[in-house]
Amino acid sequence: MKTLSAREQFEILSQGVLDLVTPDDLLAKLEKSNQSGKPLLIKYGADPSRPDIHLGHAVCFLKMRQFQDLGHEVVFVIGDFTARIGDPSGRSAVRSPLTKEEVEVNARTYKEQVDKILNPDKTRVVYNADWLEPLTLREVVRLGAQFTVAQMLERDDFQKRFAGQVPIYLHEFLYALMVAYDSVALNCDVEMGGHDQLFNFLVGRDLMRSFGQEPQVCLTMPILEGTDGQVKMSKSMDNYIGITDSPEQIFGRVMSVPDEVMGHYWTYLNLATPDEWAQLKEGIDRQALHPRSVKLDLAQRIVSWLHSAEEGKHRREEFEKVFTRKEAPSDISTRTVSLPLDLASFLVSEGLAESKSEVRRLLKQAGIRLDEQPLPYSEHPTLEQFRDGAVLRVGKKKFLRLRIA
RNA sequence: GGCGAGGUACCCAAGCGGCCAAAGGGGUCUGACUGUAGAUCAGCUGGUGUAAUGCCUUCGGGGGUUCGAAUCCCUCCCUCGCCA
């Protein structure tokens, strides 16, 4: 595999990248690696407090996979030290510290998910507590002396919070230093992540230099918007598509992505080259292609990738059946009930509604249907009689088949 | 340490003794229209339900005043700013 020249590798690796600091450094490192036969070390910092990996992360992982396919090695740095301190990095909510056990469980989950995309043989997992824990205060202070407060405040997130009078804790500055020190401890060649991590990466670059190491190349990938098309994909915004989500979920979520950002899903996730996407886009623009069908293709591709081609095909058929032709899905779970049925309690216990009040609300708005007939509102909704095997539908997406005991 | 401004529901934010389960945005959810998208329009958005100006939980925590407190008082905790 590793027959490509440094220049050829560079061409592949620099594709789709958002920041590359600096291209020359990367090329030089690739050349050196080619000569010595020693693979480059690609660092990726993983946050063990959030073990759910979604398509936003996948953008980076796909790039890392390319590195691996060219013979290089990926190191996952599990930020267990950081997680056990509790890191508010960015988000307004200060995260609560995790126990050692929680970190371990999360790290394992993390690895399992990552293996869906990366080559497990070329993926190493390390824990940053291994080198951060033994640091003495003296050493920490010396790290701090490498940077000024003004430098730290350069970070966009800090700036915003400072201006918005939102607290910034002192240890958040240390957090950037710790991430940087990880690079020193590993003496890595490349650090990868989302664009929002660029600041931390650059700190790492500086710090490595002051430790007399060859500074790392900082490589960031564009940030994939969440399914709302507004802000970056993240669990906390609930706009994410998890790579271990069910095929049905993935398909539905992809379809809910606004057209405007669909191109990012195609290109960032390597499902189409920029040229290929431009063609699709052009087809949509002159109405030769329906945007819905392009999105259906996208959803099918993503499900096929994360699950299987059969699943992708099946999900597409199901989707068209349920939402285009308004039929019930073929695989609805079935409940056997006895009459008369107290609808409110039933829906709550089945998890189809949050509370009985919500059931009443839904009824008032004609949001609950039995065999596609909206059920009328009543204070105590009760089903006296219905067809055996009737389909109960709550809102758009929740279905349940009812059998009479 | 001193002075000042704040802490309200999922988020932002009004309220400053009863008409407050708490205005207004945003978001979620439902319906219409659609391409399960977006935009638009309409509605809903604490729980319970003997259906009601009911009961329970909710305006940072605790205590108090009052027939009655998100609103007044005391105390504690937290955040922001200025000065040191």
Side-chain angles (χ1 to χ4, degrees), chain A residues 293-334:
Chain A
S293 73
V294 176
K295 209 185 286 174
L296 282 167
D297 288 343
L298 175 68
Q300 185 175 349
R301 293 278 294 273
I302 293 177
V303 172
S304 301
W305 165 40
L306 294 173
H307 289 272
S308 67
E310 299 83 70
E311 271 295 350
K313 194 157 167 280
H314 173 59
R315 276 301 134 201
R316 184 192 186 117
E317 283 159 8
E318 278 297 306
F319 185 88
E320 290 180 329
K321 181 177 182 185
V322 175
F323 295 108
T324 307
R325 300 202 299 277
K326 308 273 183 224
E327 293 166 21
S330 26
D331 47 0
I332 317 177
S333 54
T334 302

Side-chain angles (χ1 to χ4, degrees), chain A residues 252-310:
Chain A
R253 291 246 192 184
V254 173
M255 288 309 289
S256 77
V257 170
D259 293 355
E260 294 74 56
V261 299
M262 173 166 54
H264 290 161
Y265 279 66
W266 276 105
T267 54
Y268 294 175
L269 296 170
N270 281 354
L271 298 168
T273 64
D275 285 347
E276 286 165 343
W277 166 244
Q279 276 189 16
L280 288 173
K281 180 86 173 71
E282 198 259 337
I284 292 170
D285 287 345
R286 64 183 166 82
Q287 306 199 333
L289 283 173
H290 198 299
R292 180 197 51 211
S293 73
V294 176
K295 209 185 286 174
L296 282 167
D297 288 343
L298 175 68
Q300 185 175 349
R301 293 278 294 273
I302 293 177
V303 172
S304 301
W305 165 40
L306 294 173
H307 289 272
S308 67
E310 299 83 70

